[in-house]
Amino acid sequence: MKAYRAAILRFDAQHQAVFDKDGLLVVGSDGTGTERILAVGAYDSLIENYVQVPLEHLPGRIIAPGFVDLHVHFPQIDVIGSPASGLLPWLENYTFPQEARFADAAHSADAAQFFLTELVRNGVTTALTFATSHPASVEAFFTEAARRRMRMICGKVLQDRHSPDGVRDDTVQGLVDTEALIQRWHGRGRLGYAITPRFAPSCSEAQLRGAGELAARYPDVWIQSHVAENKDEIAWARSLFPQSRSYLSVYDDFGLLRARAIYAHCIHFDDDDRALMRDTGAAAAVSPTSNLFLGSGFFDYSGADRVGFRYGLASDVGGGTSLSPFHTMLAAYCVGREGQTKTGLSLSPQQLWWQHTAGAAQALGLGGVVGNLQPGCEADFIVLDPRCTALMARRTGQAASLEELLFAMIVLGDDRLVARTVIAGAG
Ligand code: GUN
Ligand code: ZN
């Protein structure tokens, strides 16, 4: 067992932020080898039960849940900042050529190591990530994530058409490789597999059907894809699948909407699409830096809340411009303001933070497992230093409320704010 004394941020069952200015976090093994939160709360009320436990005092620091990135592409770490007129030229000119390099196991291993180091530096402890169409990219990613004992979810991309040589897979072989990777990696330690059709335009009907069959056969495996991101992409999907009611419905028609299915973007939806998300239990990965960078549009928060489907925040690197959850939360705030004129509401810093931690975990079906610091959660957390820069120290020093403190960190924060990242109780 080990105890930490610091300010502590966590969330209650109603998604409200709970902040102990002088808190105690107790971490220890649950008996099966998993390090978990054993107790959390005010230092004064808890310490008498834990006087024998080694204590680390972190004055001036804030302990918070590790962030959960609901949608990211680890092989696109070298694509960040590649400008294009929109999604489809960006894929063609920058993304596919980079992803073709992941046929090489050594390149995959190098990129996986670099990416995971960057994630950890930014305070992200769980991510749902695309690999590429090459099984070697998934092997490399899971091998490195297992070495670090991280809770990570990844999948081999399925894309058997409308993709260039070097990234296109074979319809049947892609499905065979997917099932072999599920059996090899899903549930091993803290790793999980995600069936990963890139997006409907890049997959034949046969491949989507096969993906849906795998999703039915392995119900606790995740599904990840893209939908309704860009107007040209939507027109293309509609022309390829004219029998489906909408782009989102294509996935439903192939059995790919269910709990544990995460769809990136979900921008250009109507209320029937929103209801379909809600009724199937699928969730949206809101990716504001990517949507702004690629000019894709603005996620409609008020529409999502009105109909009531789940969503969480995501970097979507390399369409996204940063792995930093602070940058993502700030962009989400600005996008929320876009809808403010219609609803009179904008997102609070507590809501933004929840969407990138406990809310994202809940969207994955991992509520109570990661993304929070309640007893029973796995011991993945970060230590923030609100004095990490002169401006941050000056600004947070004047925060008169939790809201002001969180806002200052969201607006001014980046990797420098994350003093330490603890994974499975270590670090
Ligand atoms: N749609 C299909 N593939 C991709 C991708 O790699 N990134 C984004 N943002 N959208 C996609
Ligand atoms: Zn994406």
Side-chain angles (χ1 to χ4, degrees):
M1 269 204 262
K2 179 165 179 189
Y4 301 82
R5 180 179 184 182
I8 299 175
L9 174 69
R10 63 199 153 104
F11 295 90
D12 68 16
Q14 284 72 45
H15 313 171
Q16 300 302 308
V18 179
F19 191 69
D20 289 300
K21 278 190 181 146
D22 182 16
L24 188 74
L25 182 77
V26 184
V27 169
S29 173
D30 65 357
T32 69
T34 304
E35 295 290 312
R36 293 187 191 277
I37 310 303
L38 301 180
V40 62
Y43 175 85
D44 282 346
S45 63
L46 281 179
I47 189 60
E48 63 182 337
N49 301 326
Y50 298 99
V51 279
Q52 313 286 11
V53 176
L55 177 73
E56 186 172 352
H57 191 194
L58 299 163
R61 303 286 161 112
I62 302 166
I63 292 178
F67 288 104
V68 176
D69 190 335
L70 206 46
H71 175 82
V72 61
H73 300 249
F74 97 79
Q76 293 179 16
I77 191 77
D78 298 315
V79 181
I80 297 178
S82 302
S85 59
L87 170 68
L88 300 177
W90 174 82
L91 285 172
E92 200 72 23
N93 296 328
Y94 296 104
T95 307
F96 291 153
Q98 275 295 341
E99 292 196 10
R101 300 176 67 195
F102 287 74
D104 177 42
H107 178 71
S108 296
D110 175 66
Q113 281 167 34
F114 184 83
F115 172 84
L116 284 169
T117 300
E118 283 297 294
L119 266 198
V120 170
R121 261 180 8 83
N122 280 287
V124 178
T125 50
T126 288
L128 173 62
T129 179
F130 273 53
T132 66
S133 60
H134 316 91
S137 66
V138 182
E139 288 291 330
F141 183 84
F142 278 141
T143 300
E144 185 60 20
R147 195 180 67 73
R148 297 169 188 245
R149 301 181 62 214
M150 298 181 81
R151 183 170 279 286
M152 284 286 156
I153 309 168
C154 182
K156 180 210 116 61
V157 174
L158 295 164
Q159 52 181 123
D160 67 345
R161 66 167 172 171
H162 300 140
S163 309
D165 292 350
V167 294
R168 194 177 57 255
D169 65 357
D170 173 78
T171 308
V172 174
Q173 192 59 45
L175 297 167
V176 169
D177 289 342
T178 296
E179 185 159 24
L181 288 164
I182 291 171
Q183 290 179 354
R184 179 161 154 74
W185 290 106
H186 184 69
R188 189 157 152 182
R190 295 207 291 160
L191 304 177
Y193 193 84
I195 298 165
T196 307
R198 178 166 214 120
F199 62 159
S202 75
C203 300
S204 66
E205 292 199 10
Q207 200 173 44
L208 289 174
R209 193 171 306 111
E213 284 164 10
L214 285 172
R217 208 156 350 118
Y218 296 95
D220 67 336
V221 158
W222 282 269
I223 300 166
Q224 58 180 344
S225 192
H226 299 91
V227 73
E229 176 177 6
N230 166 289
K231 294 270 168 66
D232 294 337
E233 169 221 23
I234 294 170
W236 192 22
R238 301 286 290 123
S239 72
L240 292 168
F241 299 92
Q243 69 283 15
S244 293
R245 191 204 70 84
S246 68
Y247 182 4
L248 182 69
S249 297
V250 175
Y251 297 112
D252 192 38
D253 294 344
F254 289 101
L256 290 164
L257 292 185
R258 60 154 166 75
R260 295 199 164 201
I262 308 290
Y263 283 82
H265 308 293
C266 303
I267 298 172
H268 308 284
F269 269 3
D270 60 20
D271 272 358
D272 286 349
D273 292 322
R274 296 185 180 101
L276 188 55
M277 293 289 288
R278 179 195 62 208
D279 296 344
T280 56
V286 180
S287 310
T289 73
S290 172
N291 298 337
L292 293 168
F293 185 71
L294 292 175
S296 303
F298 303 94
F299 181 76
D300 184 347
Y301 276 99
S302 54
D305 290 343
R306 186 182 66 248
V307 177
F309 67 87
R310 283 184 176 171
Y311 56 82
L313 285 175
S315 68
D316 191 30
V317 158
T321 50
S322 172
L323 289 174
S324 172
F326 300 104
H327 291 180
T328 301
M329 290 189 287
L330 176 56
Y333 175 73
C334 296
V335 169
R337 297 285 311 231
E338 177 70 17
Q340 187 182 6
T341 43
K342 283 178 259 167
T343 62
L345 295 170
S346 71
L347 293 161
S348 72
Q350 290 93 332
Q351 286 172 314
L352 292 160
W353 212 295
W354 182 83
Q355 288 173 23
H356 222 335
T357 53
Q362 197 177 84
L364 287 168
L366 292 175
V369 179
V370 292
N372 209 344
L373 295 177
Q374 299 296 4
C377 288
E378 294 172 355
D380 296 336
F381 60 89
I382 56 178
V383 180
L384 301 174
D385 176 9
R387 303 186 60 77
C388 64
T389 67
L391 177 57
M392 184 81 81
R394 187 180 169 104
R395 183 64 192 87
T396 59
Q398 295 176 60
S401 64
L402 177 61
E403 182 160 38
E404 287 187 18
L405 176 65
L406 298 183
F407 243 138
M409 290 194 287
I410 287 171
V411 172
L412 297 174
D414 57 27
D415 51 323
R416 292 170 294 181
L417 183 51
V418 182
R420 192 159 140 193
T421 302
V422 176
I423 293 165

